[in-house]
Amino acid sequence: MPIATVNPFTGQTEQEFEAHDDAEVERRIAATHAAYTELRATTFAQRAEWMRAAAQLLEDDVEMLGRMITIEMGRPIAGARAEILKCAKGLRFYADHAEEFLAPEQLADPSSVGASAAGTRYSPIGVVLAVMPWNYPFWQVLRFAGPALMAGNTGLLKHASNVPQAALYLDTLFERAGFPVGAFHSLLIPASRVEKVLRDPRVKATTLTGSEPAGRSLAAIAGSEVKHVVLELGGSDPFVVMPSADIERAASVAVTARNQNNGQSCIAAKRFIVHTDVYDEFLRLFAEKVTALTVGDPLDEGTDVGPVATESGRDELEGQVADAVAKGATAVVGGYVPDRDGWFYQPTVLTGVTPEMRLHLEEAFGPVATVYRVADREEALRIANGTTFGLSSSVWTQDADEEDWFIRNMDAGAVFINGMTASYPELPFGGVKDSGVGRELAAAGIREFCNLQTVWKA
Ligand code: NAP
């Protein structure tokens, strides 16, 4: 894949970038390695000051960065701006809380281990390589970089090849904010050159947000090098609607949960599992609201759904829907590529999806929803858990017993009750099964790339 900005609204290449050659990659790894010695010697207070300055730079640049996101990957402009402001909030969160999350702990009774004092402390581990996707080109990177740098680690970013302008902005963000030169660097390289970087002894750990095959490949390399890995992979999140739910509200939120960011969110609700008693009402409302979405230029303030980010992503979606329809599914809404420039896919609602269809098990990475009718909560749970993914889930019910039952039985990294899944700096984020390993955000996220050191004193 070329390293280039290709506007998904027009399909036109706006700018191409030369990949870094081996000498430049070496220079950047060396700089990031050298900066680690400097950064780990600084205090939390110093790093927090720089982190707040980075947040301020993002806020100052919000208009320019919002446009950059929209042009590089097609996210409607209001959401693109909101992503930048969320990043600033996330960086400030770690500026405020890193020291508390990494505070040393002491055993209350050290004599139980024959010591005068014993406990744990967290220390940084060095250079961490982050391989990141294009779908939230700033948030995905900064929710890694904020905690990593606050812990005293330094970072190397291999960003997705279709968001090079975001990669280049992030390359200098932390340096501009006051961090030591080299504390964070982007590598403009194709995926095929990640392995060599990861095997470099100066790189101590890695994280990948992206597809399951990419995650498996990176984890295999990390495993062979005995390097820690965090994976945030795909999802096919269930959205369960039970009879006691507020159906009008569930249907409205369902539309946003499926179609925000043009349907390209790992934690988007993708499979809508609806109790038979409220199925017809939910489907009618959901279909009406999806039909009412404004599809168009993502730079227009009124646009709800823009194009899919890449031509191959749009083609993949088209293939998944065609397979389902050929095998008997019904497109209640959409189900086609609209006749216009750019990589649009019409927001779609499918019913009658059965296990032999690709969409029953595969992730739909675009504005395509599948709606299932179920007889009871057991069937709802069976379908909800019946995928290889386990990222998040959403359950709509006013029945306390049912709520508790779903929370206890859902095989997912998160359960949101009467609301759509979202990520918050305050809450851990991550999946089970093929959705990944490890956690980002909150205290868990900053601890992933630390050495939890046991200290025992006679
Ligand atoms: P992708 O193809 O896996 O790309 C993600 C990143 O990995 C890119 O930087 C890509 O580089 C790189 N990459 C691809 N194959 C690689 C390999 N074999 N070795 C090393 N690096 C490799 O993912 P995508 O299709 O762009 O993104 C969509 C996927 O990401 C969806 O499945 C979505 O659910 C998932 N996602 C998950 C989360 C989460 O937090 N769980 C968040 C967002 C997205 P190139 O661009 O150069 O190929």
Side-chain angles (χ1 to χ4, degrees):
M1 195 196 275
I3 300 176
T5 300
V6 185
N7 187 338
F9 176 60
T10 60
Q12 301 301 312
T13 299
E14 304 244 341
Q15 209 178 340
E16 288 197 62
F17 295 80
E18 282 281 307
H20 290 152
D21 62 16
D22 285 346
E24 183 61 17
V25 170
E26 166 54 31
R27 197 187 69 70
R28 284 164 184 260
I29 297 175
T32 310
H33 182 61
Y36 172 58
T37 311
E38 209 179 324
L39 191 62
R40 70 170 295 167
T42 56
T43 61
F44 280 104
Q46 175 62 83
R47 298 196 290 275
E49 190 186 321
W50 293 331
M51 198 53 76
R52 290 190 187 101
Q56 188 61 52
L57 287 171
L58 290 170
E59 285 172 348
D60 293 347
D61 288 341
V62 63
E63 282 305 318
M64 182 267 285
L65 296 176
R67 275 186 74 85
M68 183 190 286
I69 293 174
T70 301
I71 287 167
E72 288 208 299
M73 55 69 66
R75 182 169 188 184
I77 186 72
R81 284 192 207 104
E83 177 176 338
I84 297 301
L85 298 179
K86 180 173 177 174
C87 290
K89 182 176 170 232
L91 296 190
R92 288 205 179 89
F93 174 80
Y94 277 106
D96 292 344
H97 295 287
E99 187 165 11
E100 151 203 341
F101 291 154
L102 301 182
E105 288 180 14
Q106 292 295 325
L107 277 191
D109 176 17
S111 68
S112 66
V113 294
S116 64
T120 54
R121 58 185 293 282
Y122 291 94
S123 53
I125 55 173
V127 180
V128 184
L129 170 66
V131 182
M132 290 290 157
W134 46 264
N135 65 335
Y136 294 97
F138 284 82
W139 173 239
Q140 299 293 355
V141 175
L142 291 173
R143 75 183 189 181
F144 152 74
L149 269 62
M150 279 308 301
N153 295 305
T154 57
L156 282 171
L157 167 66
K158 183 279 186 266
H159 215 329
S161 293
N162 58 329
V163 287
Q165 295 187 42
L168 290 175
Y169 180 91
L170 291 162
D171 183 45
T172 57
L173 172 66
F174 291 104
E175 192 179 314
R176 287 167 62 213
F179 277 89
V181 176
F184 191 86
H185 265 320
S186 293
L187 303 174
L188 288 191
I189 54 171
S192 56
R193 289 172 59 199
V194 167
E195 175 168 359
K196 188 172 174 206
V197 178
L198 180 52
R199 290 199 189 279
D200 188 297
R202 292 166 293 184
V203 173
K204 301 299 180 199
T206 191
T207 178
L208 181 141
T209 300
S211 63
E212 192 194 323
R216 284 185 193 280
S217 162
L218 194 88
I221 298 162
S224 73
E225 295 286 342
V226 196
K227 293 181 181 180
H228 185 59
V229 62
V230 170
L231 299 175
E232 298 288 357
L233 308 179
S236 190
D237 290 358
F239 186 105
V240 176
V241 184
M242 298 301 287
S244 63
D246 176 341
I247 304 301
E248 169 75 40
R249 184 158 163 66
S252 294
V253 174
V255 177
T256 309
R258 176 58 287 206
N259 294 287
Q260 68 157 347
N261 201 14
N262 309 334
Q264 301 160 117
S265 171
C266 53
I267 47 168
K270 290 168 186 148
R271 299 173 299 134
F272 297 82
I273 302 165
V274 186
H275 191 281
T276 188
D277 291 356
V278 289
Y279 178 89
D280 292 338
E281 186 188 357
F282 176 87
L283 182 62
R284 179 179 57 78
L285 290 167
F286 185 48
E288 265 173 31
K289 291 170 194 282
V290 171
T291 306
L293 289 170
T294 303
V295 180
D297 183 347
L299 281 174
D300 286 349
E301 300 287 345
T303 292
D304 298 311
V305 181
V308 171
T310 62
E311 188 172 22
S312 60
R314 196 273 310 273
D315 293 349
E316 176 79 3
L317 214 50
E318 190 182 13
Q320 287 172 318
V321 175
D323 167 78
V325 171
K327 290 172 181 161
T330 304
V332 178
V333 180
Y336 58 90
V337 173
D339 183 18
R340 60 187 302 165
D341 287 343
W343 300 319
F344 284 89
Y345 195 80
Q346 194 66 21
T348 294
V349 177
L350 286 175
T351 58
V353 171
T354 52
E356 60 275 12
M357 300 173 190
R358 288 175 57 193
L359 271 177
H360 185 68
L361 286 180
E362 292 177 9
E363 175 180 27
F365 215 56
V368 173
T370 53
V371 187
Y372 293 81
R373 184 197 288 271
V374 293
D376 51 30
R377 69 183 192 181
E378 285 74 18
E379 189 182 3
L381 186 76
R382 203 161 48 245
I383 293 178
N385 285 343
T387 76
T388 55
F389 295 114
L391 194 52
S392 187
S393 58
S394 172
V395 178
W396 292 72
T397 175
Q398 316 264 14
D399 176 327
D401 173 58
E402 207 166 67
E403 177 185 309
D404 180 55
W405 186 82
F406 276 109
I407 292 171
R408 282 186 290 106
N409 291 297
M410 199 65 91
D411 284 342
V415 185
F416 280 66
I417 302 294
N418 297 323
M420 63 178 261
T421 297
S423 60
Y424 300 94
E426 297 85 348
L427 286 171
F429 184 99
V432 295
K433 303 197 291 189
D434 291 350
S435 288
V437 292
R439 289 292 179 270
E440 293 191 289
L441 300 176
I446 194 168
R447 291 173 182 159
E448 283 283 356
F449 296 114
C450 287
N451 170 18
L452 177 58
Q453 191 176 49
T454 298
V455 180
W456 183 99
K457 297 180 187 175

